Amino acid sequence: MIALCDIISNEKMTEEYNIYSMIIDAPLIAKIAKPGQFVHVKCGGLTLRRPISIASAKNGQIKICYDVRGEGTKWLSGLKSGGKIDINGPIGKGFDVSDTSKKVLLAGGGIGIYPLYSVAEAYGENAFAVLGFRTKDIITFEKEFKECGSKLYIATDDGSYGRKGFAIDTVKEILDNNKIDIIMTCGPKIMMKGIALEAQKRNIRCQVSMEERMACGIGACLACVCKIKDANVGDGVLDVPFTNKRVCIDGPVFDIFDGSGVDWEW
């Protein structure tokens, strides 16, 4: 649904980096939004909307978080409390939170941590959350994940905070020492590829949230197509062929049956 909504707040979350958190009064969207879905945001006079993940949806409000990377997000960063924003959503297939009694491992990198936050809210103490960042100055949502009750691990590439190294190093350690029922991941493709392959090796269900450039956001333009292996295609003997899937409505979350379920080079 398209709605013109009130902006409650739009605040910069880090001093050195342009990462923002916006809270929007959107009762209808908040009521039906599911973890992992996104909204398509109209940015000023630009023709194409920008897809931004919903970090949380409760009490009639949604929270979106974004990194200023181009003209659209730069325009968003200039919006003030009390202003209006044109959004379409919620859109897409989200993460599976139907059985929160299971143990879930969440692995996020950079701005990919935000769609995982509402999953952590749903699973509470049954969630292990691994958040990877380049350096300590870019870390956000540490407090929020802790308040969910999740077991939180932070890794930085340069070792300036938390564990030194990549998120996948911590993921492997958790998997070695805990029974995990499902892995959910969002972030850089190289990180998600490694985690998906690790899930395949250990025979653990894995859901990945893909990110592609979008135009229409409704599945019509095919600009956001990625290649996914479909378990329902093929004869079960030969390799299952890749099929084109639209990230906007077939995803952004894909439940891959093994680590080769995504063409990571696409």
Side-chain angles (χ1 to χ4, degrees):
M1 66 184 69
I2 297 178
L4 187 62
C5 302
D6 294 324
I7 298 170
I8 306 301
S9 63
N10 187 29
E11 300 175 349
K12 190 176 179 183
M13 292 191 286
T14 59
E15 290 186 11
E16 295 188 26
Y17 295 88
N18 292 320
I19 304 174
Y20 285 77
S21 170
M22 180 184 291
I23 298 176
I24 303 167
D25 186 45
L28 295 179
I29 294 175
K31 184 177 181 179
I32 61 175
K34 294 178 174 58
Q37 291 186 304
F38 66 94
V39 289
H40 223 196
V41 182
K42 184 172 178 57
C43 298
L46 299 178
T47 302
L48 300 180
R49 291 174 179 263
R50 300 300 192 266
I52 302 179
S53 297
I54 299 172
S56 69
K58 52 190 174 183
N59 302 323
Q61 300 175 347
I62 65 169
K63 178 183 288 188
I64 61 173
C65 302
Y66 59 94
D67 187 2
V68 176
R69 293 182 175 180
E71 192 175 350
T73 46
K74 182 179 180 181
W75 180 86
L76 279 181
S77 69
L79 298 179
K80 305 296 182 183
S81 173
K84 299 281 188 180
I85 186 168
D86 185 324
I87 58 177
N88 182 22
I91 301 173
K93 176 186 173 185
F95 291 105
D96 183 1
V97 294
S98 60
D99 187 354
T100 55
S101 67
K102 293 184 176 181
K103 299 293 184 181
V104 62
L105 173 54
L106 308 176
I111 60 172
I113 71 171
Y114 303 122
L116 296 173
Y117 170 60
S118 53
V119 181
E121 286 186 305
Y123 278 84
E125 294 181 352
N126 285 325
F128 293 78
V130 180
L131 310 182
F133 302 92
R134 293 195 308 273
T135 184
K136 67 177 182 179
D137 295 328
I138 210 169
I139 293 172
T140 57
F141 267 54
E142 179 180 13
K143 177 183 177 183
E144 286 85 347
F145 273 90
K146 284 182 177 178
E147 289 177 345
C148 290
S150 61
K151 302 168 187 67
L152 178 63
Y153 304 79
I154 291 180
T156 51
D157 296 354
D158 61 6
S160 57
Y161 191 89
R163 300 174 174 222
K164 179 175 173 36
F166 301 120
I168 191 170
D169 301 324
T170 303
V171 165
K172 290 178 180 179
E173 181 181 326
I174 293 171
L175 292 174
D176 285 340
N177 294 285
N178 300 272
K179 183 184 181 302
I180 299 297
D181 298 300
I182 181 170
I183 299 172
M184 302 182 187
T185 181
C186 182
K189 283 187 178 180
I190 187 66
M191 179 199 78
M192 292 198 296
K193 177 182 178 180
I195 290 171
L197 291 173
E198 195 67 27
Q200 177 191 20
K201 183 170 69 176
R202 298 171 187 260
N203 197 30
I204 300 174
R205 182 185 176 195
C206 183
Q207 292 188 327
V208 299
S209 179
M210 303 298 291
E211 179 181 299
E212 296 289 340
R213 291 185 179 275
M214 296 181 188
C216 71
I218 58 173
C221 70
L222 306 181
C224 64
V225 164
C226 66
K227 287 189 174 293
I228 304 290
K229 276 195 174 181
D230 190 339
N232 297 315
V233 177
D235 59 12
V237 178
L238 300 176
D239 285 341
V240 179
F242 284 109
T243 56
N244 291 327
K245 298 289 185 178
R246 297 160 295 181
V247 171
C248 63
I249 61 171
D250 297 321
V253 176
F254 293 95
D255 202 330
I256 56 176
F257 62 95
D258 63 34
S260 60
V262 174
D263 181 358
W264 297 105
E265 307 305 320
W266 175 255

